[in-house]
């Protein structure tokens, strides 16, 4: 799992928990569940009856007395959150994955196709087993007709980057190109030695 995937899933989980908590809070108050089932909410708990509001008159007066800057600051913060959420959504939409790749060229042999995640997992396992490679991460991007491969390798301190790159091209990448019938599949490889900055090679 890539760091970007972990970040996306963490953000989705956090947003889901916030929306679930807010929805349950409103649902409990709207259906008057506390009174119907003789439940006692914690002291200061918001929205406990159908007639409650999130900010009462006293709260609005108290926050308004903070100064002229308070509400513009709140609006600016909410606008920033909305813009960040929109940027994140657009970033997800820009991600292109081929989904399924034809096996043996286009059209696929006997209708056989290979999922891009399965292919990237296979490359990751094979590349991670190469001599001098400590960790490997592979992603397949692009369209089914024009897939791209992105490989990230973390090398051991004793590994020779040139040798590892040659073995990678002659082994896993050649197998992928032969299997998918894409001899000219563009491939981006990032080599990183533990404790050093990544070096990019194409």
């Amino acid at each position: 799992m890539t760091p970007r995937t972990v970040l996306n899933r963490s953000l989705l989980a956090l947003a889901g928990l916030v929306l679930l908590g807010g929805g349950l809070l409103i649902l409990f108050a709207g259906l008057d569940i506390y009174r119907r089932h003789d439940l006692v909410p914690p002291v200061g708990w918001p929205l406990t009856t159908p007639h409650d509001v999130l900010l009462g008159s006293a709260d609005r007066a108290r926050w308004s007395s903070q100064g002229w800057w308070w509400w513009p600051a709140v609006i600016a913060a909410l606008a920033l959150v909305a813009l960040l959420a929109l940027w994140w959504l657009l970033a997800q939409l820009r991600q292109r994955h081929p989904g399924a790749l034809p096996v043996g060229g286009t059209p696929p042999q006997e209708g056989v196709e290979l999922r891009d995640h399965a292919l990237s997992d296979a490359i990751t396992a094979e590349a991670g087993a190469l001599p001098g490679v400590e960790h490997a991460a592979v992603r397949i991007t692009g369209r089914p007709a024009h897939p791209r491969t992105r490989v990230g390798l973390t090398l051991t301190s004793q590994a020779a980057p040139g040798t590892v790159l040659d073995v990678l091209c002659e082994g896993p990448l050649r197998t992928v190109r032969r299997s998918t019938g894409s001899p000219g599949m563009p491939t981006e490889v990032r080599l990183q030695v533990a404790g050093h900055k990544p070096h990019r090679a194409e």
Side-chain angles (χ1 to χ4, degrees):
M1 188 180 298
T2 63
R4 185 169 188 169
T5 303
V6 173
L7 177 61
N8 287 343
R9 292 185 179 183
S10 300
L11 290 176
L12 284 175
L14 180 61
L17 289 175
V18 171
L19 292 176
L20 178 63
L24 289 176
L25 190 67
I26 295 173
L27 182 65
F28 272 52
L31 298 179
D32 202 12
I33 292 179
Y34 297 108
R35 184 185 61 80
R36 290 183 180 182
H37 298 280
D38 295 326
L39 299 176
V40 180
V43 178
W45 196 256
L47 302 178
T48 58
T49 67
H51 305 291
D52 284 347
V53 293
L54 190 59
L55 286 177
S57 300
D59 293 327
R60 291 196 299 271
R62 178 165 59 89
W63 290 116
S64 298
S65 64
Q66 299 295 323
W68 65 269
W69 56 270
W70 174 252
W71 288 115
V74 171
I75 294 173
L78 293 176
L80 179 61
V81 171
L83 288 176
L84 288 175
L86 180 61
W87 170 81
W88 177 78
L89 176 61
L90 293 177
Q92 306 313 306
L93 295 177
R94 281 198 303 268
Q95 294 183 20
R96 290 185 176 180
H97 299 280
L101 296 170
V103 176
T106 305
Q109 294 180 357
E110 299 180 359
V112 179
E113 292 184 332
L114 179 65
R115 298 295 300 177
D116 58 345
H117 292 296
L119 180 60
S120 62
D121 290 343
I123 305 174
T124 300
E126 193 172 350
L130 295 177
V133 176
E134 184 176 302
H135 176 72
V138 179
R139 288 183 58 207
I140 306 295
T141 61
R143 297 180 303 232
H146 303 284
R148 297 179 59 91
T149 307
R150 293 184 178 180
V151 183
L153 299 179
T154 301
L155 309 181
T156 61
S157 57
Q158 296 82 15
T163 302
V164 173
L165 187 58
D166 291 339
V167 175
L168 177 70
C169 293
E170 293 299 324
L173 296 183
R174 172 174 286 185
T175 302
V176 170
R177 289 168 178 168
R178 184 172 60 249
S179 301
T180 59
S182 301
M185 180 189 295
T187 302
E188 177 183 306
V189 181
R190 291 178 180 266
L191 302 178
Q192 179 177 358
V193 181
H196 295 74
K197 293 182 179 180
H199 302 279
R200 178 174 174 177
E202 292 193 15

